[in-house]
Amino acid sequence: MNTAKKSFLLRAALAILMSCYVFFVVPSEGQAAKSVTLPKREWSFSGLFGTFDRASAQRGFQVYREICAGCHSLDLIAFRNLSGLGYTEGQIKEFAAEYEIEDGPNEEGEFFTRPGRPADYFPSPYSNKKAAAAANNGKAPPDLSLITKARAGGGDSSIRYSLKNPGGYALGADYLFALLMGYEEPPEDFEGDNYNRYFPGGSIAMAQPIEDESVEYSDGTEASLQQIALDVTTFLAWAAEPELEARKRLGIKVILFLAFLTALLYVLKRKIWSDIH
Amino acid sequence: MAKSGTKFQSNSKIINWIEYRLPIFSFLHNSLGAGYATPKNLNYWWNFGSLAGLALIIMVVTGIVLAMNYTPHVDHAFNSVERIMRDVNFGWLLRYIHMNGGSLFFIVVYIHIFRGLYFGSYKNPRELLWIIGILILLAMMATAFIGYVLPWGQMSYWGATVITSLFSAIPVIGDDIVTLLWGGFTVDNPTLNRFFSLHYLLPFVIIGLVFMHVWALHIHGSNNPTGVEVKSPKEESIPFHPYYTVKDFFGVGVTLVIFSVFVFFAPNYFGEADNYIMADPLATPAHIVPEWYFLPFYAILRAFTVDFIGIPAKLLGVAAMFGSILILALLPWLDRSKVRSAKYRPIYKQFYWIFVFDCLLLGYVGGHPPEGLLVTMGQIGTAYYFIHILVLVPLIGIFETPEPLPDSIAVKAGDKPSTAEQ
């Protein structure tokens, strides 16, 4: 009995050790170079039951349209997707109609422009990647559709982080938020474009895009730098993972169901095996 | 009910009509049903074979549906994956299951392999069973590597470039092989097209190999934690169904709960942020790292930093990387000990755990940039990997005195020690 207990403990310890390895060691690949630690915050969309703060995301959408869209495309988002942020069909039609979309060829074989429709995607500020690069000192500004997933550990993903910080795991959003707030006086020996302490290497091509009062919010919220950074990050986190809410809702149900099923299977297993041993 | 296997019987006329012409019911009965006698003492480490089968089925089913919505073209691949994520009904679910399913498959298969190493499951008469398993691992690795290229993100592109370039290290024909893999002179659209085709083909090769694996398994049945063969089937075996079917289903339940936590709440945990940036041949990512399940082999590849007796370091690395898997096929003959289970092998048991640690160490090294101490650690880890398999395992097998084996699997270890068998 004693040896059985001992070997069980040994195995349990081993299992924990193995999972620690997978959780803590394996995903640290590639992160070694990032020496700056990101200030973490609890996002409306982090945690098991997180949802996007609609008001904040709508303000963020305003920031994107008025500021970011000057240089950054949002290729993967169609106007119709904005219904996910709580906009009505009428509002979406209005937003879309503000844009001129190139279409064609028509029956005469001509290309033409027309007002946007909900099914259209956000037009890019530049006609192609080369034009974007030419207008920005040789490097095209990145598309923002997936930006929170494509930076600093990916999107809503890090269990390792959530273990240390229950309820919040959104490294990509943390990075974007920190970056927008991270423009500072450069150190004396700094050489490069614009100094940002959270950008790898410190020198970022993008000049500080937002500051206090960069936008005038239509809902009257005070537009501090922090508020603007928070809102646009929430909007872009939604743009990167529009399925997040549906995913978490379904996840809770699936896991509860599977846990119940597994418990039943365990009872069944015990019953069937009761005549062995 | 007899505790060993039972013969197939049915009262249904239809079933008997079919059975007379195509004995499919007795086939199922004898392979997964009550007709398959299985040692009664299998522990939960024996669940991982069926879990690997589950992972394979999950991958094939989700993969077939994903392929319906995927476009293998350099201009469209990345966006077609995002279309699956955003516009296809439950496309995000399919894609995240498939993405994390790869990790699931490798975790359960690695545990399955290490279970085999601990309990000596590769020994006579299960050598071919073991070798087919190695072939499955190789086919899995090829499939996983190729599949990672398909979303055409930055890590897809650069991973493909780094790994396919390895073949150029092969003397004489190396460059031609690389050109053949690429379908041109760089990783480009033809590469993506042939990779898509192969990614659809290889899983069915794996299914074929799995069929042979399971067939070979059924000839002599499962090994068991004591490593002692079943002597009296009536006493020591139980029918696979219902005993192991229910136990396997319980294991499936536990696994799916853990898997769901990742799929629904941390779907990109095993992924790389860089792969959400579309492939750009002009911008190299800061660190090109393979998926976690390749990290130990990546460390072995990079352990060779200097040319040796005229052989370039790159070739040595490539040879060592493939060799590290292939030499596992020799284990049934390298291990001279007749005792299977490490339970009764005090020396081997200790070295087994050092070997496990060594593999984890190599994984750690493979995931970090090769700088400073990590290079040395990788080299020591690589050397130890080969020394363990090629030197220590044979020597321990010869010089170790195993502990007395139980008379049968029905006797609990320590109850009635026997010295009769070695």
Side-chain angles (χ1 to χ4, degrees):
Chain A
M1 199 58 213
N2 211 357
T3 47
K5 210 171 175 182
K6 209 167 122 194
S7 84
F8 173 77
L9 283 176
L10 200 74
R11 269 180 243 163
L14 182 76
I16 292 166
L17 206 73
M18 296 271 276
S19 36
C20 289
Y21 174 76
V22 172
F23 284 155
F24 298 103
V25 180
V26 172
S28 61
E29 41 187 78
Q31 287 177 12
K34 291 170 201 122
S35 52
V36 194
T37 46
L38 294 172
K40 313 274 194 316
R41 57 177 300 123
E42 197 156 312
W43 295 93
S44 55
F45 49 87
S46 51
L48 287 185
F49 303 98
T51 54
F52 295 106
D53 177 344
R54 294 294 192 284
S56 174
Q58 290 194 1
R59 286 195 297 273
F61 173 48
Q62 187 189 340
V63 178
Y64 171 74
R65 273 193 304 164
E66 293 179 12
I67 298 172
C68 319
C71 301
H72 292 278
S73 55
L74 196 63
D75 286 346
L76 299 173
I77 307 295
F79 295 109
R80 64 183 161 82
N81 297 134
L82 292 170
S83 62
L85 288 185
Y87 288 111
T88 64
E89 215 174 308
Q91 284 172 308
I92 291 170
K93 276 186 182 157
E94 267 175 49
F95 289 137
E98 286 172 21
Y99 291 85
E100 288 290 308
I101 305 287
E102 199 178 296
D103 203 351
N106 62 13
E107 282 172 18
E108 281 81 42
E110 312 269 325
F111 285 87
F112 59 98
T113 54
R114 57 162 176 77
R117 294 191 286 251
D120 289 319
Y121 283 76
F122 274 91
S124 170
Y126 302 101
S127 51
N128 55 63
K129 219 182 160 185
K130 284 210 169 122
N136 291 280
N137 292 327
K139 200 159 185 302
D143 182 80
L144 294 185
S145 317
L146 283 164
I147 203 75
T148 62
K149 268 175 131 175
R151 295 290 184 278
D156 169 33
S157 66
S158 176
I159 279 195
R160 183 167 51 137
Y161 177 28
S162 77
L163 285 175
K164 289 187 201 150
N165 208 358
Y169 39 93
L171 286 170
D174 285 330
Y175 170 75
L176 180 59
F177 181 71
L179 186 83
L180 291 171
M181 307 265 294
Y183 285 87
E184 290 172 2
E185 278 300 307
E188 292 202 352
D189 56 344
F190 175 74
E191 278 177 45
D193 299 323
N194 301 284
Y195 179 71
N196 189 312
R197 59 181 302 209
Y198 295 109
F199 193 76
S203 167
I204 184 169
M206 176 171 70
Q208 180 165 5
I210 49 174
E211 46 197 71
D212 288 337
E213 312 293 333
S214 280
V215 289
E216 194 175 321
Y217 278 135
S218 49
D219 67 355
T221 306
E222 197 194 321
S224 63
L225 167 62
Q226 172 158 356
Q227 186 66 45
I228 298 174
L230 184 119
D231 291 341
V232 79
T233 303
T234 304
F235 170 70
L236 290 174
W238 165 80
E241 302 186 82
E243 90 298 340
L244 178 140
E245 294 178 3
R247 166 157 62 75
K248 289 182 176 180
R249 269 201 311 274
L250 184 61
I252 300 277
K253 287 183 212 158
V254 167
I255 288 170
L256 284 178
F257 169 79
L258 285 173
F260 181 65
L261 180 72
T262 305
L264 287 184
L265 284 168
Y266 182 68
V267 173
L268 186 63
K269 191 253 161 193
R270 290 294 296 257
K271 188 165 159 43
I272 287 175
W273 278 73
S274 58
D275 62 339
I276 312 286
H277 301 300
Chain B
M1 182 168 53
K3 282 290 171 223
S4 53
T6 55
K7 241 178 129 64
F8 174 75
Q9 270 178 334
S10 172
N11 296 326
S12 158
K13 275 196 173 145
I14 300 171
I15 287 179
N16 285 328
W17 187 91
I18 298 172
E19 175 69 22
Y20 182 65
R21 284 152 184 87
L22 178 72
I24 189 155
F25 294 103
S26 58
F27 175 75
L28 285 175
H29 178 88
N30 291 330
S31 46
L32 294 167
Y36 179 39
T38 316
K40 64 187 241 182
N41 61 335
L42 301 187
N43 58 33
Y44 275 105
W45 295 116
W46 261 263
N47 276 51
F48 287 87
S50 70
L51 291 178
L54 169 82
L56 178 60
I57 293 166
I58 289 176
M59 293 307 275
V60 168
V61 171
T62 53
I64 285 172
V65 185
L66 286 171
M68 295 174 190
N69 295 286
Y70 169 78
T71 311
H73 187 284
V74 288
D75 292 337
H76 305 293
F78 186 86
N79 285 339
S80 75
V81 171
E82 278 305 314
R83 208 189 128 268
I84 290 170
M85 292 297 292
R86 290 157 191 268
D87 290 341
V88 173
N89 289 330
F90 290 101
W92 57 266
L93 181 58
L94 287 167
R95 200 270 179 132
Y96 277 155
I97 289 176
H98 198 74
M99 222 172 97
N100 288 285
S103 290
L104 170 74
F105 204 173
F106 275 96
I107 288 173
V108 297
V109 161
Y110 283 150
I111 295 174
H112 187 63
I113 291 170
F114 275 100
R115 189 271 285 149
L117 288 175
Y118 186 85
F119 294 106
S121 301
Y122 48 84
K123 292 184 189 183
N124 177 12
R126 296 184 183 83
E127 300 96 324
L128 276 181
L129 176 59
W130 171 257
I131 290 171
I132 295 165
I134 307 282
L135 294 179
I136 293 174
L137 176 65
L138 285 170
M140 276 174 66
M141 291 177 137
T143 313
F145 162 67
I146 288 170
Y148 193 64
V149 178
L150 301 185
W152 209 242
Q154 274 288 66
M155 218 46 102
S156 301
Y157 178 88
W158 290 99
T161 303
V162 170
I163 301 300
T164 51
S165 299
L166 293 178
F167 289 90
S168 70
I170 300 168
V172 190
I173 52 168
D175 288 326
D176 291 327
I177 291 179
V178 175
T179 309
L180 187 68
L181 285 171
W182 286 347
F185 300 101
T186 175
V187 174
D188 206 339
N189 202 47
T191 324
L192 184 58
N193 271 286
R194 62 194 56 202
F195 275 22
F196 181 52
S197 171
L198 292 173
H199 190 66
Y200 213 115
L201 167 71
L202 283 174
F204 296 96
V205 174
I206 295 178
I207 289 175
L209 289 168
V210 166
F211 185 80
M212 292 208 287
H213 192 67
V214 174
W215 186 8
L217 169 72
H218 279 72
I219 301 304
H220 294 283
S222 291
N223 181 30
N224 67 78
T226 65
V228 178
E229 282 297 308
V230 170
K231 283 171 194 134
S232 146
K234 264 212 152 73
E235 294 271 307
E236 301 163 21
S237 329
I238 46 179
F240 191 81
H241 180 74
Y243 292 100
Y244 285 108
T245 41
V246 73
K247 193 174 177 182
D248 279 348
F249 271 115
F250 170 59
V252 165
V254 173
T255 307
L256 288 183
V257 169
I258 299 168
F259 183 56
S260 299
V261 170
F262 283 96
V263 167
F264 291 101
F265 295 100
N268 295 298
Y269 183 71
F270 292 107
E272 282 294 318
D274 272 339
N275 226 29
Y276 282 106
I277 304 170
M278 202 191 292
D280 181 354
L282 301 176
T284 318
H287 300 292
I288 302 174
V289 276
E291 290 280 80
W292 69 266
Y293 36 79
F294 291 135
L295 292 178
F297 305 104
Y298 197 49
I300 291 175
L301 171 76
R302 295 193 304 190
F304 294 83
T305 48
V306 285
D307 298 357
F308 182 68
I309 47 171
I311 308 168
K314 188 176 172 189
L315 179 58
L316 288 171
V318 173
M321 183 175 71
F322 287 108
S324 66
I325 301 166
L326 293 175
I327 55 165
L328 291 174
L330 299 175
L331 260 184
W333 296 277
L334 288 170
D335 188 347
R336 311 301 303 165
S337 173
K338 292 275 181 291
V339 176
R340 290 200 189 103
S341 175
K343 262 186 170 175
Y344 308 104
R345 301 187 56 192
I347 311 289
Y348 174 77
K349 195 194 313 192
Q350 317 227 357
F351 280 95
Y352 170 86
W353 288 114
I354 297 174
F355 183 65
V356 171
F357 173 78
D358 186 51
C359 293
L360 296 177
L361 176 83
L362 284 171
Y364 178 82
V365 172
H368 289 76
E371 292 155 0
L373 191 63
L374 282 176
V375 178
T376 320
M377 276 164 66
Q379 287 166 340
I380 294 171
T382 301
Y384 187 80
Y385 182 96
F386 287 99
I387 290 171
H388 175 88
I389 294 172
L390 294 172
V391 180
L392 294 177
V393 164
L395 288 181
I396 296 165
I398 294 165
F399 293 108
E400 176 187 53
T401 314
E403 285 167 11
L405 291 173
D407 285 332
S408 75
I409 67 172
V411 182
K412 276 253 173 1
D415 285 359
K416 256 191 249 162
S418 142
T419 46
E421 198 171 348
Q422 285 282 314

